[in-house]
């Protein structure tokens, strides 16, 4: 019985791939996700709770639980002999009622590997080398995580930085940047250039008055509030500014200008999110160095400390709201999710989500060239920024996460343009807790499509489907009243009318052989069965609102489609 239970447990696991060198500073496990259905997920979790075998050699431990707009998002870490397997996790996403809406496994089949026997190392984790589970030590030094063998040799390493009583005070800032408010591009007529961070009049004239909360104590105002504390972490050592009045007035050449830019735009982004009903995104005070000695690099880090750092090389990063919002979005994702980022495509997705947030934030303020990411900090003699209006599709990935991120960024920018920044960002934030260390753009597209079904009753599904199909993320139903061939052996007719509740949906076989159809709700419960028919007609009157999965069987052929009922 012990071996039988272990076999069932492992049957649900994904196939593992060995470590692959991805870059000089990122040599990581090349695991991938396998999407599980509700029954498979429940079987794994039930077995974990009941099988004595799993309490010894193999076990799962809950390591993360986040509440999001859709429900609860739980991460389980796989252990072998009470030592974690690096990157091997089960991510379970449930709705508000506790029903499983999706889950992803990167768990390994332990029986496929020889377990290296040795004395347990400090901070031990298992890694995979060929068919061996090898024990290494996981260490963290400054911003570098390393996995070292028993002799201290570095096997793998990864940088952990993710680049890129209050009262009201007032200040002057760029909102979002001087080029956008002036309605010009960088260097127009030889003007509107960086000019070595000087107090160039055409740039200083683009400052506008804003207000934000700051701390007041014993006659002094400090640049800190519930979400931000301006600090000095690295050289150049520019101390946080204070004021004896309720005004922080600086020109752009002064260090205090970058400080008020950072605190204001983080506050403004938080107010935007709260207006959407999102109150748990990075809901803590974050240390921010707006004048960091990191060259032309900005980053969010949660290890060894949690902070935002804005570089001053080229155009100082904190002079551009796009950079501030991008980096702060890393903090938001980490607060809502907390899982590691391992796969290169997941890193590209991370960068893209931050870019989309920055673009949407600018779009709400001023739509001038809003799809050009980093309008002021980039697109100049220092660097080219990133393109949020690219025509690239999923087949044009090159394996560089910055370049590949433009595919998802440009797709979601088009979605934002069609459904509005508020709707786009609410959907995007809703899937942040659902991401795993290996989530692909195609998987994220499905998560977003399903989130719209839950949050908006599928109101934006046609827009999402059209944009996702254009990028090659998959074949999503576009809602036209024509048949869509979803498999070689059947076709679906009239899905749009079915979704609207004013027409029957038909599933027709491409041969005379009968079809068997089972329809499941979002929790995996079987709700309707149709058997031994060459064409099946389904009335919307039999369905409540929601997302349904339709399993179509004809002989040895099996296909799946999604049905939406508004």
């Amino acid at each position: 019985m012990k071996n039988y239970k272990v076999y069932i447990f492992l049957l649900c696991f994904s196939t593992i791939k060995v470590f692959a060198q991805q870059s000089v500073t990122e040599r990581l496990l090349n695991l991938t996700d396998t999407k599980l259905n509700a029954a498979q997920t429940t079987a794994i979790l039930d077995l974990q709770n009941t099988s004595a075998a799993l309490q010894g050699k193999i076990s799962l431990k809950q390591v993360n639980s986040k509440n999001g707009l859709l429900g609860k998002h739980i991460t389980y870490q796989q252990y072998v002999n009470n030592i974690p397997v690096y990157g091997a996790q089960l991510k379970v996403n449930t709705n508000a009622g506790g029903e499983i809406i999706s889950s992803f496994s990167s768990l390994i089949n332990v029986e496929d590997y020889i377990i290296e026997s040795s004395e347990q190392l400090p901070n031990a984790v298992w890694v995979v080398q060929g068919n061996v589970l090898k024990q290494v030590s996981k260490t963290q030094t400054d911003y570098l995580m390393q996995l070292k063998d028993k002799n201290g040799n570095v096997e793998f390493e990864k940088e952990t930085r993710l680049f890129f009583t209050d009262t009201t005070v007032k200040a002057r800032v760029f909102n979002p940047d001087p080029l956008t408010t002036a309605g010009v591009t960088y260097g127009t007529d030889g003007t509107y250039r960086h000019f070595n961070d000087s107090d160039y009049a055409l740039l200083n004239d683009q400052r506008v008055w804003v207000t934000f909360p700051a701390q007041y104590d014993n006659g002094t105002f400090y640049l800190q509030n519930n979400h931000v504390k301006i600090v000095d972490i690295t050289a150049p050592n520019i101390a946080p500014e204070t004021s004896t009045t309720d005004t922080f007035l600086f020109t752009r050449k002064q260090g205090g200008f970058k400080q008020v830019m950072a605190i204001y735009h983080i506050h403004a982004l938080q107010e935007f999110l709260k207006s959407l009903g999102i109150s748990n995104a990075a809901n803590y005070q974050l240390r921010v160095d707006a004048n960091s000695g990191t060259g032309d690099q900005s980053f969010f880090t949660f290890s060894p400390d949690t902070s935002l750092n804005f570089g001053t090389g080229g155009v100082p990063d904190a002079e551009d709201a796009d950079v501030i919002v991008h980096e702060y979005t890393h903090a938001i994702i980490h607060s809502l999710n907390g899982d590691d980022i391992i796969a290169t495509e997941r890193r590209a997705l991370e960068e893209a989500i931050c870019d989309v947030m920055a673009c949407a934030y600018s779009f709400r303020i001023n739509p001038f060239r809003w799809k050009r990411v980093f309008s002021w900090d980039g697109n100049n003699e220092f660097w080219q920024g990133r393109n949020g209006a690219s025509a690239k599709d999923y087949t044009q990935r090159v394996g560089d996460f910055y370049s590949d991120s433009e595919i998802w960024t440009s797709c979601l920018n088009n979605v934002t343009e069609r459904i509005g920044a508020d709707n786009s960002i609410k959907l995007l934030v809703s899937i942040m807790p659902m991401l795993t260390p290996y989530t692909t753009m195609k998987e994220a597209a499905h998560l977003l499509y399903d989130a719209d079904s839950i949050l908006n009753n599928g109101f934006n599904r046609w827009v999402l489907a059209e944009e996702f199909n254009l990028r090659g993320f998959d074949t999503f139903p576009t809602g036209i009243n024509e048949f869509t061939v979803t498999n070689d052996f059947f076709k679906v007719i009239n899905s749009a009318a079915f979704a609207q509740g004013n027409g029957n949906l038909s599933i027709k076989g491409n041969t005379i052989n009968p079809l068997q159809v089972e329809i499941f709700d979002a929790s995996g419960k079987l709700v309707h069965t149709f058997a031994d028919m060459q064409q099946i007609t389904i009335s919307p009157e039999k369905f409540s609102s929601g997302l349904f999965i339709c399993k179509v069987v004809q002989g040895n052929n099996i296909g799946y489609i999604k049905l939406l009922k508004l």
Side-chain angles (χ1 to χ4, degrees):
M1 178 62 71
K2 177 179 179 180
N3 292 334
Y4 174 69
K5 288 185 176 180
V6 172
Y7 174 75
I8 295 176
F9 181 72
L10 297 176
L11 188 64
C12 300
F13 287 175
S14 61
T15 302
I16 193 168
K17 295 182 180 179
V18 300
F19 271 97
Q21 188 176 50
Q22 297 177 354
S23 68
V24 174
T25 59
E26 188 183 46
R27 300 196 295 271
L28 305 170
L29 268 174
N30 192 23
L31 294 176
T32 57
D33 281 328
T34 295
K35 188 172 183 179
L36 307 180
N37 60 33
Q40 291 172 315
T41 306
T42 302
I44 290 177
L45 295 177
D46 286 348
L47 206 56
Q48 159 69 13
N49 294 330
T50 59
S51 172
L54 304 181
Q55 297 171 10
K57 180 178 179 181
I58 308 166
S59 64
L60 294 180
K61 296 181 182 180
Q62 180 178 320
V63 294
N64 199 358
S65 179
K66 300 287 185 179
N67 292 318
L69 292 175
L70 302 181
K72 183 169 286 189
H73 312 276
I74 307 168
T75 301
Y76 298 89
Q77 170 67 49
Q78 184 178 19
Y79 284 72
V80 176
N81 295 338
N82 293 316
I83 297 174
V85 180
Y86 181 71
Q89 297 178 339
L90 174 68
K91 183 63 168 279
V92 181
N93 304 302
T94 68
N95 62 20
E99 299 171 323
I100 296 173
I101 55 178
S102 66
S103 62
F104 299 89
S105 167
S106 56
L107 306 174
I108 68 168
N109 186 340
V110 179
E111 292 185 346
D112 289 344
Y113 300 94
I114 299 170
I115 300 177
E116 183 186 70
S117 59
S118 63
E119 183 179 353
Q120 183 167 332
L121 301 175
N123 303 311
V125 298
W126 296 111
V127 295
V128 177
Q129 289 192 337
N131 64 341
V132 175
L133 273 184
K134 179 178 180 178
Q135 192 181 137
V136 297
S137 291
K138 181 178 180 181
T139 64
Q140 182 78 42
T141 304
D142 293 328
Y143 304 115
L144 189 66
M145 185 278 290
Q146 294 181 321
L147 303 179
K148 298 180 180 179
D149 66 16
K150 61 184 178 181
N151 297 318
N153 299 313
V154 176
E155 295 277 343
F156 313 99
E157 62 183 18
K158 186 184 71 161
E159 186 172 309
T160 57
R161 290 182 293 187
L162 297 179
F163 291 94
F164 276 68
T165 310
D166 290 340
T167 188
T168 299
V169 298
K170 56 183 181 288
R172 292 184 73 181
V173 301
F174 294 150
N175 193 27
D177 64 76
L179 303 183
T180 298
T181 50
V184 299
T185 57
Y186 189 91
T188 296
D189 298 327
T191 61
Y192 294 99
R193 300 175 66 88
H194 174 49
F195 292 123
N196 198 29
D197 209 27
S198 66
D199 279 336
Y200 183 48
L202 287 180
L203 296 177
N204 272 329
D205 288 348
Q206 296 305 315
R207 295 172 301 155
V208 297
W209 285 105
V210 296
T211 61
F212 56 88
Q215 186 180 59
Y216 179 75
D217 184 27
N218 195 29
T220 301
F221 294 89
Y222 298 87
L223 290 176
Q224 57 181 292
N225 53 38
N226 289 338
H227 297 291
V228 178
K229 181 177 183 180
I230 298 297
V231 296
D232 178 27
I233 299 175
T234 63
N237 300 115
I238 299 176
E241 295 287 348
T242 62
S243 177
T244 56
T245 71
D246 65 350
T247 302
F248 287 82
L249 183 59
F250 304 100
T251 59
R252 68 178 290 259
K253 69 180 286 187
Q254 297 175 288
F257 181 73
K258 287 79 169 169
Q259 295 175 5
V260 296
M261 279 284 294
I263 192 171
Y264 168 72
H265 285 292
I266 291 174
H267 163 73
L269 177 59
Q270 278 287 351
E271 291 300 298
F272 170 33
L273 296 177
K274 289 174 184 176
S275 73
L276 302 178
I278 302 166
S279 58
N280 62 335
N283 195 19
Y284 62 91
Q285 188 185 68
L286 180 62
R287 300 168 70 243
V288 176
D289 186 347
N291 298 277
S292 179
T294 55
D296 199 15
Q297 292 286 339
S298 295
F299 58 89
F300 163 70
T301 177
F302 56 88
S303 179
D305 65 331
T306 302
S307 63
L308 272 180
N309 302 263
F310 294 102
T312 54
V315 174
D317 292 355
E319 287 188 8
D320 190 336
D322 279 3
V323 182
I324 297 168
V325 172
H326 174 102
E327 298 303 337
Y328 190 64
T329 301
H330 282 305
I332 289 172
I333 298 172
H334 184 261
S335 73
L336 295 175
N337 188 301
D339 289 349
D340 200 0
I341 299 173
I342 294 180
T344 299
E345 190 169 337
R346 170 66 177 86
R347 179 70 183 272
L349 186 63
E350 177 91 2
E351 292 299 318
I353 290 172
C354 295
D355 284 350
V356 172
M357 186 78 85
C359 288
Y361 178 83
S362 292
F363 182 51
R364 295 179 77 251
I365 299 170
N366 189 322
F368 180 77
R369 291 174 58 88
W370 67 278
K371 291 184 180 180
R372 178 59 68 177
V373 192
F374 311 128
S375 301
W376 172 234
D377 177 62
N379 303 282
N380 52 39
E381 67 267 31
F382 303 107
W383 76 297
Q384 291 305 305
R386 289 208 283 274
N387 185 5
S390 169
K392 290 191 296 187
D393 64 33
Y394 194 62
T395 65
Q396 295 174 288
R397 304 185 316 282
V398 296
D400 173 79
F401 53 80
Y402 286 126
S403 177
D404 291 348
S405 69
E406 293 182 352
I407 301 170
W408 180 263
T409 301
S410 301
C411 178
L412 265 291
N413 278 350
N414 288 349
V415 169
T416 297
E417 193 167 42
R418 297 177 65 181
I419 70 174
D422 291 19
N423 290 324
S424 178
I425 294 307
K426 190 170 184 179
L427 285 172
L428 200 58
V429 174
S430 74
I431 72 167
M432 288 179 182
M434 307 173 78
L435 303 176
T436 75
Y438 315 97
T439 300
T440 65
M441 295 182 201
K442 295 181 75 169
E443 290 172 339
H446 281 281
L447 292 175
L448 208 67
Y449 188 84
D450 293 345
D452 183 66
S453 298
I454 297 171
L455 291 178
N456 305 315
N457 213 11
F459 184 81
N460 303 301
R461 67 195 181 283
W462 310 135
V463 171
L464 295 171
E466 289 175 357
E467 296 296 340
F468 292 159
N469 290 344
L470 283 173
R471 302 290 172 165
F473 292 143
D474 211 339
T475 302
F476 290 82
T478 56
I480 57 176
N481 290 328
E482 302 172 1
F483 72 81
T484 301
V485 177
T486 58
N487 206 300
D488 291 337
F489 67 92
F490 71 92
K491 59 187 176 183
V492 180
I493 304 169
N494 217 30
S495 61
F498 173 84
Q500 297 291 342
N502 54 24
N504 294 335
L505 177 139
S506 294
I507 302 175
K508 185 177 181 179
N510 292 336
T511 68
I512 61 173
N513 297 323
L515 300 173
Q516 317 286 328
V517 174
E518 295 179 329
I519 301 178
F520 302 83
D521 64 17
S523 69
K525 178 183 177 183
L526 180 65
V527 293
H528 291 290
T529 301
F530 303 87
D532 298 324
M533 301 177 188
Q534 201 274 328
Q535 179 168 333
I536 295 169
T537 300
I538 305 174
S539 171
E541 297 176 357
K542 296 182 178 182
F543 292 80
S544 58
S545 297
L547 181 70
F548 299 87
I549 304 298
C550 184
K551 178 182 179 182
V552 183
V553 180
Q554 185 186 63
N556 293 325
N557 295 318
I558 302 176
Y560 295 88
I561 59 173
K562 291 180 181 179
L563 300 179
L564 189 66
K565 173 62 169 51
L566 297 178

